[in-house]
Amino acid sequence: MNTNDESSQIQHKTGLSQMESIPIGKQLKPLKKYSDRGALVEVNANSKRINAIKKDNGRTNPTTQPMPRVRKDLDNLDRNTSKKRRIYNDNDDIIISTNQNNDVLQKDSPWFKLDEQDKNDPSMVYEYSDNIFEYFYKRESELLPLRNYTVKTETKHTIRSSVRAILIDWLVEVHEKFQCFPETLYLAINIMDRFLAANKVNTDKLQLLAVTSLFIAAKFEEIHLPKLAEYAYITDGAATKEDIKTAELYMLTKLKFELAWPNPMNFLRRLSKADGYDTETRNISKYILEFAFCCPNFIGEKPSYISAIAFFIARRITSKDKTWDNNFIHYSGGIDPVNDIRFQSACKQLVNEIDTPRTRLPSLKMKYNEGDPKGIHDIVLRYCTMEVDHSFSTLFAL
């Protein structure tokens, strides 16, 4: 059998090469709520992860009760920033040693080389941090969706933003149930967006596409990943194990096995380092970042750019320090919010979307404690509503 015949058979089996205008509600079977999904624990009785799910009678607050991890969870790691740092200018020249913290720098001050605080941790390879992120900034442009497939263009394979929202909201819930790393969710969304931007997909195969994207992402990011039977079961009969394996082969072939996408969490953690690892700001920025990736407006945008937007808004919400000094400019990849009109427009667009969302994301809101006045969702929503009501008068005020 030649390659073309084999490819044609895979396309026929998966249905990932054609799209029909069928109402999504009739084909996509949503994941049932925790209380209704006790049978999930029967998939693998020896799985500690699934047994942990069984004990969970409600949603865990990610900020106060983090899910167990097998590797260092950098998001919940509070580090004491070194008081003694060297100050560098844009030419990487040492100017002076100082005992001051980075938060007292003025706008026109040079930037601190914060990676030096990790010099005693070999796993951080601090000597190569700048080179690594320089590569990330180059690589992220190469692994973006070719177009925003939710916007009507001259091409015919377009998916409504509401359909994408259903898929991603379901992915958020499955990702949380499987207790995967944050990187896995973002990579799954990137895989799905890149595939949909270049390929037609049957509407009744969209859930297969979503679960296969998560399956591929988990293989790339996780240490102990969910089993194939669990992915098939979580679709409630919409996809079998063979369906997922066949779709995986076809999708990876179409994506040319390009999975080493610079994850937005890398950029967010780097900005958090410049902020002194403030826990409140980091947790709020994680919600805003996740919301932005669920929002169709930012399909095709660089992850470093979205991370900077999320972190900038989060620092405005916490109001601990509204300055975006040379440290943040350097560690965000050169973004200067005060003088960047495009960045300001993107921030306003995201704030407005959070205040009045065009697509429903119930799982994401519940994940971040919707209805709890002290929960992250409600804190962010109150701020965004205030900014919209006051025409963004304080969003960029110094």
Side-chain angles (χ1 to χ4, degrees), residues 14-16 24-32 37 159 163-164 166-171 173-174 192 196 201-215 230-240 243-244 247 251:
T14 60
L16 297 180
I24 185 68
K26 294 184 180 180
Q27 277 74 32
L28 184 60
K29 298 181 180 180
L31 179 69
K32 295 181 181 179
R37 201 59 176 178
I159 294 178
V163 175
R164 180 181 181 269
I166 293 173
L167 287 173
I168 291 185
D169 195 64
W170 181 79
L171 274 179
E173 189 167 3
V174 175
M192 189 178 74
L196 285 173
V201 180
N202 270 347
T203 310
D204 62 340
K205 296 296 182 180
L206 285 174
Q207 190 171 16
L208 171 61
L209 171 66
V211 76
T212 305
S213 298
L214 186 63
F215 179 63
E230 296 171 353
Y231 287 98
Y233 192 86
I234 209 73
T235 64
D236 202 16
T240 65
D243 290 337
I244 295 174
M251 290 173 62

Side-chain angles (χ1 to χ4, degrees), residues 59-329:
R59 293 192 176 261
T60 304
N61 183 340
T63 63
T64 59
Q65 301 177 30
M67 296 177 178
R69 301 294 190 214
V70 294
R71 71 180 183 190
K72 289 182 180 179
D73 185 359
L74 297 180
D75 292 328
N76 297 314
L77 181 62
D78 291 327
R79 302 184 178 186
N80 294 321
T81 55
S82 174
K83 292 183 179 180
K84 189 174 183 179
R85 301 189 181 98
R86 291 177 176 180
I87 306 178
Y88 288 71
N89 61 16
D90 292 334
N91 297 322
D92 207 31
D93 300 323
I94 299 175
I95 297 177
I96 192 173
S97 293
T98 180
N99 289 324
Q100 293 178 323
N101 293 326
N102 62 319
D103 56 0
V104 301
L105 287 176
Q106 300 300 316
K107 180 180 177 182
D108 56 349
S109 301
W111 51 275
F112 285 117
K113 201 157 189 174
L114 301 176
D115 296 316
E116 284 194 343
Q117 63 187 266
D118 299 319
K119 63 183 178 181
N120 295 324
D121 186 353
S123 65
M124 298 300 290
V125 290
Y126 86 97
E127 304 96 329
Y128 305 105
S129 292
D130 287 336
N131 292 333
I132 290 171
F133 277 90
E134 183 179 349
Y135 173 75
F136 281 171
Y137 290 128
K138 174 180 178 294
R139 187 64 173 158
E140 65 176 347
S141 300
E142 300 170 354
L143 296 178
L144 293 174
L146 297 177
R147 63 189 182 88
N148 189 336
Y149 57 87
T150 65
V151 177
K152 291 183 178 180
T153 61
E154 66 279 1
T155 57
K156 60 181 180 181
H157 40 106
T158 303
I159 294 178
R160 298 190 304 274
S161 58
S162 58
V163 175
R164 180 181 181 269
I166 293 173
L167 287 173
I168 291 185
D169 195 64
W170 181 79
L171 274 179
V172 168
E173 189 167 3
V174 175
H175 171 269
E176 185 184 8
K177 187 177 285 291
F178 282 161
Q179 299 189 18
C180 295
F181 297 126
E183 290 88 343
T184 303
L185 176 63
Y186 292 116
L187 179 57
I189 294 173
N190 174 261
I191 290 171
M192 189 178 74
D193 283 343
R194 284 163 56 200
F195 188 87
L196 285 173
N199 299 274
K200 300 178 183 179
V201 180
N202 270 347
T203 310
D204 62 340
K205 296 296 182 180
L206 285 174
Q207 190 171 16
L208 171 61
L209 171 66
V211 76
T212 305
S213 298
L214 186 63
F215 179 63
I216 295 171
K219 280 187 173 183
F220 190 84
E221 294 286 358
E222 299 292 325
I223 298 174
H224 299 289
L225 58 155
K227 293 188 175 182
L228 178 58
E230 296 171 353
Y231 287 98
Y233 192 86
I234 209 73
T235 64
D236 202 16
T240 65
K241 292 190 293 183
E242 289 302 320
D243 290 337
I244 295 174
K245 288 193 292 185
T246 305
E248 176 192 22
L249 175 60
Y250 181 65
M251 290 173 62
L252 287 174
T253 303
K254 284 293 185 179
L255 296 176
K256 300 179 180 179
F257 290 83
E258 293 278 13
L259 301 178
W261 172 64
N263 203 282
M265 290 302 299
N266 295 326
F267 302 105
L268 195 71
R269 291 188 180 110
R270 193 158 173 82
L271 283 168
S272 185
K273 178 184 288 188
D275 193 46
Y277 292 106
D278 181 73
T279 304
E280 182 183 9
T281 303
R282 184 171 65 250
N283 287 331
I284 290 176
S285 64
K286 285 163 62 179
Y287 167 66
I288 299 173
L289 179 67
E290 200 165 330
F291 186 96
F293 269 87
C294 294
C295 175
N297 298 341
F298 295 93
I299 296 175
E301 191 58 79
K302 295 179 181 178
S304 62
Y305 198 74
I306 303 177
S307 298
I309 292 172
F311 205 81
F312 177 83
I313 297 174
R315 294 186 81 242
R316 290 288 167 161
I317 293 174
T318 57
S319 298
K320 293 179 179 178
D321 187 357
K322 294 187 176 182
T323 59
W324 190 270
D325 55 36
N326 280 20
N327 261 359
F328 288 104
I329 293 175

Side-chain angles (χ1 to χ4, degrees), residues 303-366:
S304 62
Y305 198 74
I306 303 177
S307 298
I309 292 172
F311 205 81
F312 177 83
I313 297 174
R315 294 186 81 242
R316 290 288 167 161
I317 293 174
T318 57
S319 298
K320 293 179 179 178
D321 187 357
K322 294 187 176 182
T323 59
W324 190 270
D325 55 36
N326 280 20
N327 261 359
F328 288 104
I329 293 175
H330 175 74
Y331 289 107
S332 65
I335 294 176
D336 183 4
V338 176
N339 301 309
D340 192 332
I341 303 300
R342 179 174 174 267
F343 183 86
Q344 293 180 10
S345 176
C347 287
K348 292 176 182 178
Q349 187 179 32
L350 182 54
V351 168
N352 190 70
E353 185 68 23
I354 294 174
D355 175 56
T356 312
R358 292 183 297 170
T359 54
R360 295 182 65 254
L361 299 167
S363 295
L364 179 64
K365 293 178 180 179
M366 196 178 298

